[in-house]
Amino acid sequence: MTTVLDGKKTADALMTDLKNTVTTLKAQGVTPALAVILVGDDPASAIYVRNKHRRAESLGIRSLQIQLPKTTTQAELLGRIADLNADSAIDGILVQLPLPAGIDEQAVIQSISPEKDVDGFHPINVGRLWTNLPGVVASTPYGIMALLAYYQIDVSGMNAVIVGRSNIVGRPMAALLLNHDATVTMTHSRTKALAEKTRAADLLVVATGRPEMITADMVKPGAIVIDVGMDRNAAGKLVGDVDYAGVAPVAGAITPVPGGVGPMTIASLMIQTVAIAKRRVHEQQ
């Protein structure tokens, strides 16, 4: 029987414990606070921000939604980030990507204080991850590791194959898996004989943005399949990067779309915001 790795159920369970932690922090005089900046009016980004805000409020985390017009200049955006960096009551800062044309994404990411960079994209946090030092980690890979841990899946010694090399998922995922003693193979759009690589995977993580590109013949029987994709197929149906109907009977465990990795991404964002707030408690003592 294939195990469905239920991200919604897992996130809800983790958030129950986290809510208790938030309550304890408030009793100690610290309210965890997350500031999310949205520039422009991208509909998908607006949905992501709204979902983060709802989850934060449900936990008792102070949630600041900062909506800026599409005409905002890079200098204006950097000014708002500087203000948040200087605000001791703000624990986490997140700038929703993508940004409008004309704004340098890397300049924005690097302007966020590494200590408040709750997305884990700042080069200092990326460096800490790759050198296996404590720090903030990109939310989606962090969430995937939390999901595997919830289902008591130990990746140590596994052959892990990642399809996709983005800075948001693929690269930090590789670092996390290496730090947990997996043997990691990175693949991408230029990889030759991709199916040969994926069929060797005990753990397959797919983050390409290509609807249902991973088919049953590309998956090792019994493999754990993590689908990070959120796409629309030709019929307009919401699907992942994995052909779920075909792959699920082959896999030993698989994440659904929706309800798999997505809820874990937001959960991990909340967990790391609260972790930063905990440090604030220690600083005040």
Side-chain angles (χ1 to χ4, degrees), residues 227-238:
D227 188 352
V228 184
M230 187 73 77
D231 318 298
R232 296 280 177 184
N233 64 13
K237 180 185 176 184
L238 185 64

Side-chain angles (χ1 to χ4, degrees), residues 107-260:
V108 170
I109 289 169
Q110 292 179 36
S111 74
I112 299 171
S113 168
E115 292 77 20
K116 297 188 179 190
D117 165 42
V118 78
D119 252 341
F121 294 160
H122 193 286
I124 287 177
N125 288 325
V126 173
R128 293 185 70 84
L129 174 61
W130 277 100
T131 50
N132 201 12
L133 293 171
V136 184
V137 178
S139 296
T140 297
Y142 185 104
I144 290 169
M145 296 304 295
L147 181 63
L148 293 171
Y150 184 82
Y151 280 89
Q152 299 183 329
I153 297 171
D154 182 3
V155 303
S156 178
M158 283 189 180
N159 289 322
V161 176
I162 300 170
V163 187
R165 54 180 169 176
S166 75
N167 291 332
I168 296 173
V169 181
R171 294 171 193 257
M173 190 77 243
L176 271 178
L177 288 169
L178 282 170
N179 292 346
H180 285 79
D181 300 320
T183 300
V184 179
T185 300
M186 289 288 295
T187 69
H188 45 79
S189 60
R190 300 293 181 89
T191 299
K192 296 178 180 178
L194 176 62
E196 181 182 315
K197 307 285 193 306
T198 59
R199 277 195 298 269
D202 303 312
L203 171 64
L204 181 61
V205 181
V206 189
T208 65
R210 294 174 57 190
E212 301 177 310
M213 69 164 289
I214 299 296
T215 52
D217 62 311
M218 300 173 72
V219 177
K220 175 183 177 180
I224 299 157
V225 180
I226 306 295
D227 188 352
V228 184
M230 187 73 77
D231 318 298
R232 296 280 177 184
N233 64 13
K237 180 185 176 184
L238 185 64
V239 297
D241 295 348
V242 175
D243 173 17
Y244 186 90
V247 171
V250 178
I254 189 169
T255 56
V257 175

